């Protein structure tokens, strides 16, 4: 709530100020925007956010209030990038400002950009976090007794493995 004058000119009675409803304007700081982006899940692996995946490269708010977001695709030609761009625009619409989402190749995405929380979420959802093939561990039983079935998984950023200990197939993010 805010207090302010609603009439022009002298007050009609004592006080003259009335309580009016204030319109809540969301905080559009870079930190608030990054926090909102943490709600955007990767469409191929919903257990991890695009922030934890490390594809949010830059967030800025221009002088005119426009929100600018740059994303780094995990691989050139990533099939999910347009879905991610749409999800970012939809999530940031709550700020009530124009949103520009750009795809950037200014720096390459690497698997080192995945946060520790992101690695934990990957493992908890049955994906081995990025590692060299000889260092991949089973996300189900933590065994190192695994074999790569195929270097090419369902997407360019993942490989298929099989655990000889618990006999579970699983995917591993490629170390890039």
């Amino acid at each position: 709530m805010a207090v302010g004058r609603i009439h022009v000119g002298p007050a009609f009675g004592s006080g003259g100020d009335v309580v009016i409803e204030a319109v809540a304007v969301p905080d559009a700081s870079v930190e608030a925007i990054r926090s909102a982006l943490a709600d955007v899940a990767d469409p191929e692996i919903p257990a991890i956010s695009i922030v934890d995946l490390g594809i949010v490269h830059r967030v800025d708010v221009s002088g005119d209030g426009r929100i600018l977001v740059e994303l780094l695709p995990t691989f050139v030609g990533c099939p999910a990038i347009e879905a991610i761009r749409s999800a970012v625009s939809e999530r940031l619409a709550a700020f009530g400002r124009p949103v520009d989402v750009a795809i950037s190749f200014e720096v390459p995405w690497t698997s080192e950009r995945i946060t520790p929380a992101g690695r934990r979420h990957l493992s908890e959802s049955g994906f081995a976090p990025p590692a060299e093939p000889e260092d991949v561990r089973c996300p189900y039983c933590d065994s190192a007794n695994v074999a790569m079935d195929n270097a090419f998984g369902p997407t360019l950023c993942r490989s298929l493995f099989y655990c000889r200990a618990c006999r579970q197939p699983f995917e591993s993010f490629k170390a890039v």
Side-chain angles (χ1 to χ4, degrees), residues 154-170:
T155 62
L156 293 171
C157 57
R158 302 190 315 245
S159 298
L160 300 176
F161 280 79
Y162 177 77
C163 179
R164 293 181 180 126
C166 71
R167 301 181 181 214
Q168 288 290 322
F170 64 93

Side-chain angles (χ1 to χ4, degrees), residues 5 10 22-23 49 67 106 131 171:
R5 296 193 59 83
V23 176
S49 77
I67 297 172
E106 180 180 342
E171 296 177 30

Side-chain angles (χ1 to χ4, degrees), residues 15 21 23 40 50 60 74 82 84-87 89 92 103 110 121 126 130 136 168 176:
E21 186 175 342
V23 176
V40 179
I50 63 171
D60 196 16
T74 55
E82 287 307 316
I84 295 169
R85 185 194 308 242
S86 286
S89 293
L92 299 183
I103 307 308
T110 69
H121 293 307
V136 171
Q168 288 290 322
V176 182

Side-chain angles (χ1 to χ4, degrees), residues 30-138:
V30 170
E31 295 78 22
I33 294 165
R34 280 194 178 274
S35 178
L37 291 174
D39 295 339
V40 179
D42 179 86
E44 294 174 340
I45 307 171
I48 187 170
S49 77
I50 63 171
V51 171
D52 283 336
L53 190 55
I55 66 171
V56 177
H57 178 54
R58 182 174 292 126
V59 174
D60 196 16
V61 180
S62 68
D64 65 355
R66 181 174 294 274
I67 297 172
L68 311 166
V69 177
E70 286 184 16
L71 303 174
L72 300 175
T74 55
F75 279 86
V76 174
C78 172
I81 203 68
E82 287 307 316
I84 295 169
R85 185 194 308 242
S86 286
V88 166
S89 293
E90 286 175 26
R91 176 61 184 98
L92 299 183
F95 287 92
R97 298 163 182 255
V99 177
D100 291 328
V101 182
I103 307 308
S104 174
F105 296 98
E106 180 180 342
V107 296
W109 176 88
T110 69
S111 52
E112 292 175 0
R113 294 179 65 98
I114 300 174
T115 66
R119 291 171 188 273
R120 188 179 70 254
H121 293 307
L122 284 173
S123 188
E124 290 169 354
S125 63
F127 290 87
E132 294 302 322
E134 62 274 7
D135 297 327
V136 171
R137 299 188 70 87
C138 175

Side-chain angles (χ1 to χ4, degrees), residues 136-147:
V136 171
R137 299 188 70 87
C138 175
Y140 299 105
C141 71
D142 200 38
S143 174
N145 189 9
V146 300

